[in-house]
Amino acid sequence: MENSSVKGPASFSINGKIIICVCGRHDIGKTQTNNEVWDKLDCPKKKLEIRCGGREFKGYGHCKGFKVGVETFGDPDSLQRKWLEDLAKDNCKVIVAAARTYGDTVDNVKDIAQQYGYKIIWFTPLYTDELSINWKDLKEFSADTIIELIKKHII
């Protein structure tokens, strides 16, 4: 017997604003994943606001009438909280953020979500310690999954 209340990926939706937080231990590829998300984000009027050290940035794009923000700082003692707050104040419908698995970076995401009315989706990027597996392919696949979440949320 088929259960009609079970919804598949095609019917996924969340009402309101969301933070998709790419989280994980140090050197798992959070920044690389969020950089891939930014590169794949198909939004006109993308604006890169800040770039630090060549890899870390904050930016946003306008997609189907909504702002989508991306930030890459997920390390303790970084600009993560300020950048999250900037994107929330800028009324982004979706924020893609980075955080570790515990501590201040996770608390920052939770605090900003509560203060500005966001729901959080915690996302761990694919990773491996196997040298024979292409690390970049895993980050691209992780980014593709996040892009699909964004598309399903803003359509």
Side-chain angles (χ1 to χ4, degrees):
M1 179 196 269
E2 187 176 317
N3 183 345
S4 61
S5 66
V6 175
K7 295 182 179 186
S11 61
F12 170 84
S13 75
I14 296 174
N15 294 322
K17 300 181 291 186
I18 62 169
I19 295 174
I20 301 169
C21 187
V22 178
C23 58
R25 64 175 170 79
H26 176 70
D27 284 338
I28 198 174
K30 299 178 295 293
T31 296
Q32 187 176 354
T33 298
N34 286 6
N35 271 287
E36 291 287 339
V37 168
W38 178 257
D39 291 344
K40 292 172 180 283
L41 193 60
D42 187 21
C43 294
K45 301 180 186 175
K46 277 178 31 177
K47 182 179 179 187
L48 193 63
E49 292 191 348
I50 300 171
R51 186 169 281 280
C52 300
R55 294 178 21 168
E56 307 291 353
F57 72 90
K58 172 184 73 168
Y60 64 88
H62 294 269
C63 303
K64 300 198 185 263
F66 299 102
K67 278 187 181 176
V68 177
V70 180
E71 72 85 19
T72 58
F73 263 134
D75 295 325
D77 302 319
S78 70
L79 293 171
Q80 181 217 31
R81 183 178 189 90
K82 180 189 179 329
W83 285 8
L84 280 171
E85 191 158 36
D86 289 348
L87 293 170
K89 284 180 179 177
D90 208 19
N91 204 29
C92 290
K93 181 168 182 170
V94 177
I95 298 173
V96 180
R100 293 283 178 89
T101 55
Y102 61 91
D104 289 345
T105 60
V106 171
D107 293 342
N108 290 340
V109 172
K110 289 178 179 178
D111 291 348
I112 297 299
Q114 183 177 17
Q115 184 177 352
Y116 291 92
Y118 284 84
K119 297 172 184 161
I120 305 170
I121 296 174
W122 300 100
F123 183 91
T124 302
L126 297 172
Y127 67 96
T128 184
D129 292 327
E130 296 295 326
L131 298 177
S132 63
I133 297 174
N134 187 327
W135 182 269
K136 184 164 175 38
D137 288 345
L138 294 177
K139 299 309 146 206
E140 286 183 17
F141 188 81
S142 295
D144 288 342
T145 303
I146 293 169
I147 291 293
E148 285 303 310
L149 281 170
I150 293 169
K151 285 180 183 177
K152 289 187 183 294
H153 184 60
I154 64 173
I155 292 177

